Amino acid sequence: MKFRRTLLGLAAVATALASFSGSALAQANYKAEYKMSLVLGPPTPWGMAGKLWADMVKERTQGRINIKLYPGVSLIQGDQTREFSALRQGVIDMAVGSTINWSPQVKELNLFSLPFLMPDYAAIDALTQGEVGKALFERLDKAGVVPLAWGENGYREVTNSKRPIKSPADMKGMKLRVVGSPIYSDMFSALGANPTQMSWADAQPALASGAVDGQENPLFLFTVLKMHNVGQKYVTTWGYVADPLVFVVNKEIWNSWTPADQAIVRQAAIDAGKEEIALARKGLVEADKPLLKEIAGMGVTVTQLTPAEREAFVKATRPVYDKWKPQIGNKLVDLAEKSIAARKK
Ligand code: X2X
């Protein structure tokens, strides 16, 4: 009897030791610090997405996983269109990235850049939280990264230093900075503007010097950067596209973590994403849109298009939609259109 108890006790000790040394061994492969890439840092919602995620992971893993934020895509010298390749290659360990910046490598992500596809926030949710979101995560997984959750940069509104934009004619010849994904050049050319592709790092001095007349980005950036001080006196809310953010981890890094830590990192991404989406929409979902009032209070003319005015932009950019649909994938775009038509408003 006594002998049996001793044996059982020994077995228990052995099991405990095995699991201890197993996880200790696994953790011996952990890096002292992981590098997270972002374009925009805190206090923008995008930057907060990264900070919330990193803070939650540190706390929930009791410091086993420490993450340092690299805003301004500084790990790749500010060239945001290279972020996805750098993630895949392990130059970057993890990221909260915009679908726009990864579109050059993952064509399907151009879906969110199809002009006037998503008329409201419910439409964005119908895509990211539904079958389209799942299909895109499978695609990202195949492309070599581990996607975990969705966040949001936001509806991209156009600002400029020249005149209020109410119709495509108002954009004629306007020199506008656009992101480095070719669908944007196509759209702004179709509208009669003069688009010029550059990174966000280059865009800011170009706006300040007047080398470009305007740009398009979510409006929280307008107030954070005080864009009225670089001559941006006109804002038009046209809601033509919105870019979601994706929380991802490099595959090798992911595989180096214990299943328990993987679960923590995944859940933290989901929690941070939810919180961040609310931040990104703050001031724009309330009936009186306080963010627009704040911008108007900076001496800026804010133009909200009537449905008829908006329709002229839809019509002018429709050929771009039709050109890009097969490149993104007819089936995926059809599924997106169906998901949006069936959305709960
Ligand atoms: O470059 C931009 O405009 C920005 C900051 O919105 C993105 O990275 C897509």
Side-chain angles (χ1 to χ4, degrees), residues 119-125 152-155 157 219-220 237 242 274-293 304 345:
D120 49 34
Y121 286 113
I124 303 178
D125 295 340
E152 189 163 294
N153 192 22
Y155 276 105
E157 313 296 11
L219 289 177
F220 63 77
T237 60
K274 270 203 193 115
E275 221 176 291
E276 187 270 336
I277 288 173
L279 286 178
R281 296 178 184 184
K282 206 170 146 228
L284 292 167
V285 282
E286 302 82 354
D288 59 341
K289 301 193 176 169
L291 184 57
L292 298 189
K293 280 197 182 147
Q304 290 182 262
K345 282 192 218 170

Side-chain angles (χ1 to χ4, degrees), residues 39-40 46 80 98 100-101 153 156 177 179 200 217 243:
V39 178
L40 305 176
W46 188 341
Q80 63 214 57
S98 163
I100 296 175
N101 294 331
N153 192 22
R156 304 179 67 89
R177 175 267 173 174
V179 283
W200 181 241
N217 248 302
D243 51 331

Side-chain angles (χ1 to χ4, degrees), residues 68-344:
K68 185 171 171 191
L69 271 47
Y70 289 84
V73 262
S74 57
L75 296 165
I76 41 169
Q77 294 76 47
D79 186 356
Q80 63 214 57
T81 55
R82 279 181 37 218
E83 190 178 50
F84 193 79
S85 311
L87 250 169
R88 207 161 29 188
Q89 290 156 7
V91 176
I92 293 171
D93 297 326
M94 54 210 293
V96 181
S98 163
T99 50
I100 296 175
N101 294 331
W102 300 351
S103 291
Q105 291 82 31
V106 186
K107 280 247 184 282
E108 291 85 345
L109 292 178
N110 280 299
L111 176 71
F112 300 100
S113 300
L114 280 177
F116 301 100
L117 169 67
M118 302 178 294
D120 49 34
Y121 286 113
I124 303 178
D125 295 340
L127 299 189
T128 57
Q129 307 306 314
E131 279 178 63
V132 167
K134 255 187 234 146
L136 288 171
F137 272 18
E138 276 165 29
R139 178 69 188 85
L140 283 170
D141 184 80
K142 266 206 200 111
V145 299
V146 182
L148 299 174
W150 293 95
E152 189 163 294
N153 192 22
Y155 276 105
R156 304 179 67 89
E157 313 296 11
V158 61
T159 78
N160 82 94
S161 60
K162 295 284 185 217
R163 62 189 92 93
I165 296 174
K166 283 189 185 157
S167 73
D170 295 325
M171 296 175 86
K172 195 158 175 58
M174 222 179 242
K175 198 158 181 199
L176 297 175
R177 175 267 173 174
V178 293
V179 283
S181 184
I183 189 171
Y184 287 85
S185 298
D186 285 357
M187 281 191 278
F188 284 87
S189 298
L191 289 165
N194 177 10
T196 168
Q197 267 189 29
M198 58 180 84
S199 70
W200 181 241
D202 292 339
Q204 295 172 77
L207 285 166
S209 70
V212 294
D213 302 321
Q215 60 90 43
E216 46 80 69
N217 248 302
L219 289 177
F220 63 77
L221 207 52
F222 196 95
T223 50
V224 168
L225 295 179
K226 301 189 170 42
M227 283 193 197
H228 62 301
N229 288 340
V230 289
Q232 299 297 291
K233 298 290 186 204
Y234 305 97
V235 168
T236 295
T237 60
W238 58 343
Y240 81 129
V241 302
D243 51 331
L245 301 174
V246 190
F247 292 65
V248 303
V249 176
N250 164 278
K251 238 178 203 160
E252 267 178 55
I253 297 291
W254 181 257
N255 291 332
S256 74
W257 290 335
T258 63
D261 281 343
Q262 289 174 348
I264 289 175
V265 173
R266 181 188 296 279
Q267 190 57 48
I270 293 168
D271 295 346
K274 270 203 193 115
E275 221 176 291
E276 187 270 336
I277 288 173
L279 286 178
R281 296 178 184 184
K282 206 170 146 228
L284 292 167
V285 282
E286 302 82 354
D288 59 341
K289 301 193 176 169
L291 184 57
L292 298 189
K293 280 197 182 147
E294 190 187 337
I295 292 171
M298 296 158 94
V300 173
T301 304
V302 178
T303 304
Q304 290 182 262
L305 298 179
T306 63
E309 284 168 346
R310 190 174 183 274
E311 200 45 42
F313 290 91
V314 176
K315 225 173 126 185
T317 52
R318 192 67 205 188
V320 180
Y321 191 109
D322 296 337
K323 172 185 164 186
W324 278 82
K325 183 176 173 177
Q327 296 193 47
I328 293 163
N330 287 324
K331 265 171 67 185
L332 185 66
V333 178
D334 286 341
L335 178 62
E337 289 170 348
K338 246 177 56 193
S339 307
I340 290 171
R343 77 193 180 281
K344 286 200 196 83

Side-chain angles (χ1 to χ4, degrees), residues 44-71:
T44 66
W46 188 341
M48 289 310 293
K51 183 173 166 22
L52 288 165
W53 189 23
D55 287 351
M56 285 180 199
V57 167
K58 185 171 186 172
E59 197 194 316
R60 296 179 191 179
T61 62
Q62 275 120 28
R64 284 190 300 279
I65 297 178
N66 284 301
I67 300 163
K68 185 171 171 191
L69 271 47
Y70 289 84

